[in-house]
Every structure is written in structure tokens, then in C-alpha cells.
Amino acid sequence: MADRISKAQRSANMRKIKGKDTAPELVVRRAVHGLGFRYRLHRRDLPGNPDLVFGPRRKVIFVHGCFWHQHSDCRAGRIPEANATYWKPKLQRTIERDRRNIAALEDAGWRVLVLWECEITTSTTAIEQILRHFLGEAGAK
């Protein structure tokens, strides 16, 4: 299947995609802060540069985009028909890198929570429940 937009427009669209401070990540950060927890962002000394790091608790949270990290339970996590020979290996490398990073963190004694973009956009209350359960009730509040 051919791409519906020009190569220049596609390139411009791809340049706009961010890796940090995405809308789903900001929702999670606001929820965590509202629950009274404090965290560090994108610690580069940890495998995978987790989005939120709770150092004393030895817990990290990754906020994954359904497309980029290939969420298997989500419609957005499917490989595009256009240029599939490019996308399939690229997205597969991301999946494998995620697995390696999570395994390395767990081997180092960290607990890992992965939140998917589609989960975050559905219910803030559900996300807060997941966060409370993962982080414990002992926030700063």
C-alpha cells in the first residue's frame, strides 16, 4: 500500500513525535504528584531511561505509546501496511530493547510498571488506583 502523503510531509510529521513530556506521560506525572509521591524524570543511569523513577522505593514507571512499543492488546499497536518491510524490524527492535531494559532493571532490584497510552486515556481514576497499588499508600500527603 502506498503512502497517502508526500515524503516531505511524512518526514515533517515524524519530526514532531516526542520521546519525553508526551501527553500520556504528563497525565501520569500529574496523577502521581496529586497522590503525594515525588519522583525523578528520565534517569539516564538506569536501563531504558524510565519516565518516572522513585529512587528510595526502587520503583520505575514507563509510559509506552501503543504504536511505538507495539501494545498487543490495542488497535493502535499494529504495524502499518505502508512500508511494512521498514516498520516491522524497527518496531521489533523496540520490543526487544524494552524486554532487555525491564529485565536489567528487575535484575538490579527495581520494580517496573509499564503503563500504555490507551490505558491512560481511558480513565484517570483507574490509573490512580494502579499507581496507588504499585507505589503503596505512603505518599507525602
Side-chain angles (χ1 to χ4, degrees), residues 100-120:
R100 281 193 315 271
N101 290 333
I102 290 170
L105 285 163
E106 288 174 341
D107 290 346
W110 291 84
R111 289 199 49 220
V112 179
L113 174 64
V114 174
L115 294 173
W116 293 97
E117 177 182 16
C118 64
E119 295 172 330
I120 294 163

Side-chain angles (χ1 to χ4, degrees), residues 44-121:
R44 299 188 76 174
D45 61 323
L46 294 175
N49 301 334
D51 297 311
L52 285 84
V53 179
F54 305 86
R57 295 173 186 272
R58 304 225 13 114
K59 296 180 180 184
V60 298
I61 297 176
F62 287 100
V63 180
H64 283 344
C66 293
F67 173 73
W68 293 108
H69 297 269
Q70 290 294 283
H71 187 198
S72 60
D73 297 338
C74 180
R75 183 173 161 85
R78 65 176 193 260
I79 296 173
E81 293 176 18
N83 207 3
T85 56
Y86 167 79
W87 284 108
K88 189 169 184 166
K90 178 180 181 65
L91 296 172
Q92 191 59 42
R93 285 191 307 270
T94 301
I95 293 168
E96 290 165 9
R97 184 176 58 244
D98 289 343
R99 284 189 192 130
R100 281 193 315 271
N101 290 333
I102 290 170
L105 285 163
E106 288 174 341
D107 290 346
W110 291 84
R111 289 199 49 220
V112 179
L113 174 64
V114 174
L115 294 173
W116 293 97
E117 177 182 16
C118 64
E119 295 172 330
I120 294 163
T121 57

